[in-house]
Amino acid sequence: MDRISQIYNDEKLLKRLHDDPGLTIEDALENEMVINMGPQHPATHGVLRLVLRLDGETVMGIVPELGYLHRGYEKMAENMSYIEFIPHTDRLDYLATMCNNVAYVLAVEKLAGIEAPKRAQYIRMIVSELSRIASHLVAIGTFAMDVGAVTMVMWTFREREKIQNIFDRLAGARFTTSYTRIGGVAADMDDEAIAMARKFLEEIEPAMVEMDKLMLGNRIFIDRLEGIGILSKEDAIDLGITGPNLRSSGVEYDVRRAKPYLFYNEVDFNIPVYTEGDCLARYHQRGDELRESAKILKQLLDKIPNGEVMANDPKKVLPHKTEIYSKMEELIHDFMIINFGINPPVGDTYFSVENPKGELGFYFVSNGTGNPWKLKIHSPSFCNLQAIPKLCKGAMVSDVVAIIGSLDPVMGEADK
Amino acid sequence: MGLEAILQKDGYVTTTIDAIVSWARKSSVWPMPMGISCCAIEMISAADPKYDIARFGSEVMRFTPRQCDLMIVAGTVTYKMAQVVRRIYDQMPEPKWVIAMGACTSSGGMYRSYSVVQGIDQFLPVDVYTAGCPPRPENLLNALMTLQEKIGKTKARDFQNRPLVDLELAQN
Amino acid sequence: MDVKALIVEKVKEKFGSSLEEVSDFRDDLCLTIKRDQIVPLGNFLKNDPDLQFSMCKDVTAIDWATRKNRFTVVYHIHSFKLNFTLRIKANITDESNSIESVTSLWKSADWYERETYDMYGIKFVNHPDLRRMYMPEGFEHYPLRKDFPLLGIPGSLPFPKKAE
Ligand code: SF4
């Protein structure tokens, strides 16, 4: 209203309006426009599409549209056995593949009542923390790139490459690892891999200091993030936000602490929490979590026990390949598990873990056969994206980019 | 560099227009990174310091189709996305090439489901297929070199008088 | 007092007659409630000072295929106070495939319900914006129903012509 009365006082403008009868105040200045951003846009982190309604530079409303990467995971899961689905979990959150692998097998193990040996559990923790570091590195790098600092993405990818090498050694693939198995992990972690992880941990510390110097010493970077996209504690809970985004809004909730799975109750770590809830807090949050993960990793590498990496449960856990080729019984078990599945009891379970993006949950409904009757994936990126309309309302267009970057969604997981 | 040494001695080189045009064409392929899902990460990795796609003259990733010669389709193309991919392809100026990166784009890959297009060659002319899920960055570079070989065989006069695609018509 | 016993007792006291089943499989507590009581139950669980289930984590449905009224809607809600995730189920007992929306209680249910609508065709009454989440507008089928084939129905999704 203010602006309109201002305009009515502007004599030059009034004269122009008077001279040109076709020009009305509505279409000359009251122009809200609708623009489309994505699904192919460098700043939307994949194939997210946003439709923005703008008044000048200000965002009046924003509607996210998903589904450009909807691959039908839940339908496919109903048509394949529990083991067959493991490779598909890699492609959910493809920046933290190991975390998904671990989450999925833990969920199946809960349903089927299997427990993996301690060494396997430790290896799972190690790989998921490595994965968390890799994911947060990408998050920080692409976030910085979104707000204009392209150097950062080069640096973080350089560090991430080292983690990829460790995974390459462990699982034979750079990031589509499919490393875990129901009842254990596919291959043992040898000394070489442990040495690589140790070396990486030594190198990440100074690298993080360097990166922080680059970013946080930069006035422009801070100015673009401070006070932008503030998410209050109440809204965060109401909108179902999870993970670092929730914690940076002041809710101290981390599944690793709240409901410890694996052996997270045996390691010592802090849960960083910020109360500001703005983009800068979300940036700091990820950096801090990365350091905490490095701290956890150090303890794990020291503590890792010796022993088996697959549980001994022939009806449900795949035997080792060398035994399949030499022993009759193992061959039969392998055949039965691969062809008819592990047949967990009738019932339904929900299991969730703390992924780098937030809480990843798997809800299984089993009817006693080899295929799940239903699998529902509760993906953190999906619920985090729900905050976009709330955060972007009233922001500037260039802030929208920063806000999406700070939420760090991955569309593979949000669209399922 | 070899060329300068020769030039210092003789002062000039002779070549054909075709050779020099195709050489220029193949050594500065500007990709349009159509990063849809997981493969996109490996595509970015190919540009990072370790693999360095700049060695092949293709580091200029443009996010607008109007400035590109090559579309790298990296990721699962769903039916909903297919319309978008096609529209972006139509906006690219001639001459243009397509690399199908990964199992998904080549054949649907591991997704035999209701929403995934079983291979982008159903609606795009693909020049190079890249195997792998995801293809390693080396493999993408290999695809790029294969494509450069293919581009190297083009003549200067090729791609002339190609009519512009009518965008609206092409959609349906 | 044990958290589960507390929840069950509180809910029984208030909703005794409409509580159909209480199950506890692998340490997951699940309450099955009559369909028309879902919003009052949610309201109670959210606002009771001892329970405070303030976050809705997930809404989905199960298609039982062979049962007469084939859908069950499943909710997962979380309480930070109790540090507990509770599952609520509601069977849809008639042909209308509809249930009251819980968006008035938890905003996060908005997208979850849209997703469930998209995948199963369950209508959420009083939902502010019930449209498809993943599949394109105009798609007529519901992919996660058991009678929908895995490979889809040819021609049901628009597809561009081949470029030369
Ligand atoms: S080929 Fe594999 S890595 Fe590439 S997009 Fe498809 S699933 Fe992802």
Side-chain angles (χ1 to χ4, degrees):
Chain A
M1 243 18 244
D2 260 345
R3 218 184 42 174
I4 292 177
S5 55
Q6 225 177 28
I7 290 162
Y8 277 115
N9 290 334
D10 188 338
E11 292 201 349
K12 247 194 237 156
L13 199 74
L14 282 178
K15 186 165 178 310
R16 235 184 87 209
L17 282 174
H18 186 78
D19 292 347
D20 184 353
L23 202 67
T24 64
I25 188 119
E26 278 76 24
D27 57 33
L29 293 153
E30 281 293 285
N31 47 355
E32 282 188 353
M33 61 184 156
V34 175
I35 64 165
N36 176 52
M37 184 171 167
Q40 216 291 319
H41 189 280
T44 53
H45 287 222
V47 287
L48 173 65
R49 177 177 176 219
L50 302 168
V51 184
L52 297 91
R53 190 148 55 79
L54 302 177
D55 180 9
E57 277 275 308
T58 317
V59 179
M60 310 295 287
I62 187 164
V63 181
E65 191 184 339
L66 288 86
Y68 287 95
L69 194 52
H70 176 65
R71 298 182 270 194
Y73 274 119
E74 288 166 4
K75 186 82 182 173
M76 278 190 289
E78 290 169 9
N79 291 282
M80 55 177 62
S81 70
Y82 290 88
I83 293 177
E84 272 179 283
F85 194 70
I86 293 175
H88 285 276
T89 56
D90 291 340
R91 281 92 179 158
L92 278 173
D93 173 357
Y94 39 79
L95 295 174
T97 50
M98 286 287 197
C99 290
N100 302 338
N101 292 165
V102 172
Y104 178 79
V105 291
L106 284 174
V108 177
E109 282 169 12
K110 178 177 176 187
L111 178 68
I114 309 169
E115 193 166 349
K118 194 160 183 186
R119 184 174 172 89
Q121 307 271 43
Y122 262 81
I123 294 177
R124 285 175 182 180
M125 280 160 83
I126 292 174
V127 292
S128 38
E129 291 309 318
L130 279 173
S131 218
R132 191 184 314 276
I133 294 180
S135 167
H136 280 337
L137 280 174
V138 176
I140 292 173
T142 49
F143 181 26
M145 185 171 71
D146 286 348
V147 293
V150 187
T151 321
M152 194 64 174
V153 80
M154 291 287 164
W155 288 17
T156 54
F157 265 79
R158 184 190 65 202
E159 295 304 317
R160 180 176 174 272
E161 205 58 49
K162 295 171 190 164
I163 301 181
Q164 306 299 49
N165 288 341
I166 301 175
F167 287 173
D168 208 351
R169 176 157 189 96
L170 280 177
R174 281 160 51 83
F175 71 87
T176 45
T177 47
S178 312
Y179 178 57
T180 53
R181 295 287 178 277
I182 294 164
V185 293
D188 200 356
M189 192 170 188
D190 57 2
D191 294 339
E192 170 84 35
I194 292 184
M196 279 164 97
R198 282 229 163 84
K199 180 149 176 291
F200 167 74
L201 283 181
E202 270 166 30
E203 289 167 358
I204 186 78
E205 301 265 305
M208 278 308 288
V209 174
E210 211 178 30
M211 287 178 206
D212 269 358
K213 255 196 236 157
L214 178 68
M215 297 321 294
L216 301 177
N218 186 341
R219 195 68 238 167
I220 305 171
F221 183 71
I222 307 280
D223 282 348
R224 277 203 70 177
L225 303 185
E226 208 167 16
I228 300 295
I230 296 177
L231 184 65
S232 69
K233 193 173 168 178
E234 290 71 30
D235 283 338
I237 292 176
D238 202 17
L239 287 166
I241 311 295
T242 58
N245 299 329
L246 180 69
R247 289 192 284 278
S248 63
S249 289
V251 184
E252 192 180 343
Y253 178 72
D254 186 319
V255 187
R256 288 176 295 174
R257 177 62 52 81
K259 287 183 200 136
Y261 53 96
L262 296 172
F263 286 102
Y264 278 112
N265 46 3
E266 286 187 4
V267 285
D268 163 46
F269 64 103
N270 301 326
I271 302 171
V273 176
Y274 282 81
T275 46
E276 291 88 350
D278 59 355
C279 288
L280 189 61
R282 289 194 276 275
Y283 174 83
H284 281 305
Q285 179 75 31
R286 294 211 165 76
D288 287 2
E289 281 186 15
L290 207 158
R291 284 187 202 96
E292 283 303 319
S293 286
K295 193 169 119 193
I296 296 176
L297 263 176
K298 264 198 206 108
Q299 301 172 33
L300 292 176
L301 291 175
D302 290 341
K303 273 200 201 164
I304 181 166
N306 290 329
E308 287 291 308
V309 292
M310 283 294 258
N312 185 11
D313 189 347
K315 292 263 180 277
K316 286 175 182 152
V317 177
L318 285 173
H320 196 269
K321 265 278 183 284
T322 52
E323 291 179 345
I324 299 171
Y325 293 133
S326 55
K327 292 187 187 137
M328 193 63 211
E329 203 164 318
E330 265 73 19
L331 179 65
I332 294 171
H333 283 314
D334 186 73
F335 178 81
M336 294 301 281
I337 292 175
I338 295 292
N339 283 281
F340 300 103
I342 57 168
N343 303 356
V346 181
D348 50 351
T349 56
Y350 177 82
F351 184 81
S352 63
V353 303
E354 185 71 28
N355 246 30
K357 309 283 182 301
E359 183 179 337
L360 174 70
F362 288 98
Y363 172 57
F364 280 108
V365 180
S366 158
N367 62 346
T369 59
N371 298 0
W373 181 254
K374 179 189 166 62
L375 165 63
K376 164 82 197 192
I377 303 161
H378 169 251
S379 60
S381 300
F382 181 64
C383 43
N384 289 352
L385 278 176
Q386 236 185 124
I388 285 190
K390 171 97 200 159
L391 293 183
C392 292
K393 203 162 184 192
M396 297 282 149
V397 179
S398 53
D399 297 343
V400 173
V401 174
I403 289 168
I404 301 170
S406 74
L407 288 177
D408 185 25
V410 168
M411 296 316 288
E413 163 179 77
D415 285 352
K416 291 189 274 234
Chain B
M1 291 306 228
L3 199 57
E4 285 100 289
I6 299 171
L7 284 180
Q8 253 181 7
K9 211 158 56 180
D10 294 345
Y12 62 90
V13 283
T14 52
T15 180
T16 56
I17 296 281
D18 276 349
I20 201 134
V21 167
S22 71
W23 169 79
R25 250 182 210 149
K26 79 174 193 194
S27 327
S28 64
V29 181
W30 286 17
M32 151 97 217
M34 188 76 214
I36 302 170
S37 62
C38 358
C39 276
I41 306 296
E42 285 300 64
M43 187 169 59
I44 303 173
S45 293
D48 80 2
K50 185 169 167 192
Y51 295 100
D52 198 10
I53 204 169
R55 292 177 292 158
F56 304 93
S58 294
E59 77 278 21
V60 200
M61 301 243 179
R62 290 292 142 132
F63 284 90
T64 157
R66 293 286 190 209
Q67 302 175 356
C68 301
D69 319 302
L70 162 68
M71 182 148 90
I72 305 177
V73 186
T76 324
V77 180
T78 59
Y79 280 94
K80 201 171 174 181
M81 194 66 199
Q83 313 275 358
V84 182
V85 176
R86 178 67 204 280
R87 171 163 282 236
I88 289 173
Y89 177 78
D90 287 344
Q91 287 176 37
M92 283 165 58
E94 294 269 357
K96 53 190 169 187
W97 292 274
V98 177
I99 289 181
M101 182 179 179
C104 283
T105 35
S106 305
S107 68
M110 59 202 288
Y111 301 101
R112 265 188 93 60
S113 80
Y114 55 91
S115 60
V116 175
V117 178
Q118 304 292 313
I120 58 162
D121 42 11
Q122 292 179 24
F123 64 97
L124 284 186
V126 179
D127 293 285
V128 182
Y129 295 90
T130 317
C133 180
R136 290 181 157 247
E138 296 97 324
N139 204 349
L140 179 63
L141 297 180
N142 182 23
L144 186 64
M145 284 159 71
T146 315
L147 184 73
Q148 286 183 340
E149 217 169 272
K150 182 172 177 177
I151 298 174
K153 290 187 191 133
T154 56
K155 296 262 161 28
R157 277 156 183 268
D158 295 354
F159 314 111
Q160 278 183 352
N161 308 327
R162 284 277 196 107
L164 280 177
V165 186
D166 190 335
L167 268 190
E168 281 321 305
L169 279 180
Q171 279 305 304
N172 299 307
Chain C
M1 192 176 176
D2 180 30
V3 174
K4 284 183 202 161
L6 172 80
I7 297 167
V8 172
E9 187 185 297
K10 282 226 165 206
V11 173
K12 268 217 177 103
E13 190 185 310
K14 191 108 196 286
F15 294 88
S17 57
S18 17
L19 194 65
E20 287 176 347
E21 194 192 334
V22 178
S23 75
D24 190 353
F25 178 70
R26 301 244 189 257
D27 219 22
D28 280 8
L29 182 65
C30 172
L31 309 175
T32 310
I33 189 92
K34 285 221 173 79
R35 179 177 61 156
D36 46 2
Q37 289 295 316
I38 186 72
V39 174
L41 176 71
N43 200 358
F44 170 71
L45 289 173
K46 185 184 173 191
N47 294 326
D48 188 279
D50 289 341
L51 303 176
Q52 296 185 13
F53 281 91
S54 52
M55 186 193 259
C56 175
K57 268 188 186 167
D58 209 2
V59 178
T60 184
I62 306 172
D63 180 0
W64 295 108
T66 48
R67 211 170 70 179
K68 181 151 173 291
N69 296 308
R70 51 197 269 202
F71 294 111
T72 299
V73 183
V74 186
Y75 302 82
H76 283 96
I77 55 175
H78 186 79
S79 160
F80 289 102
K81 180 159 186 289
L82 303 178
N83 186 18
F84 189 79
T85 303
L86 173 70
R87 182 182 314 135
I88 304 174
K89 284 187 187 169
N91 289 314
I92 293 184
T93 46
D94 58 12
E95 297 297 306
S96 67
N97 284 347
S98 64
I99 190 166
E100 189 77 14
S101 161
V102 293
T103 36
S104 54
L105 300 169
W106 299 288
K107 259 197 229 122
S108 57
D110 184 345
W111 280 20
Y112 303 145
E113 290 185 344
R114 268 178 68 190
E115 189 193 345
T116 312
Y117 165 72
D118 188 1
M119 292 290 136
Y120 289 95
I122 292 169
K123 292 180 198 70
F124 289 89
V125 182
N126 294 337
H127 187 281
D129 179 23
L130 197 64
R131 57 197 168 83
R132 291 215 168 243
M133 187 85 229
Y134 293 140
M135 302 309 287
E137 290 293 331
F139 184 63
E140 283 162 6
H141 310 279
Y142 300 106
L144 275 186
R145 288 191 176 181
K146 289 280 176 185
D147 47 11
F148 186 83
L150 173 64
L151 278 181
I153 295 168
S156 58
L157 284 163
F159 190 64
K161 267 212 321 258
K162 189 164 166 62
E164 4 23 273

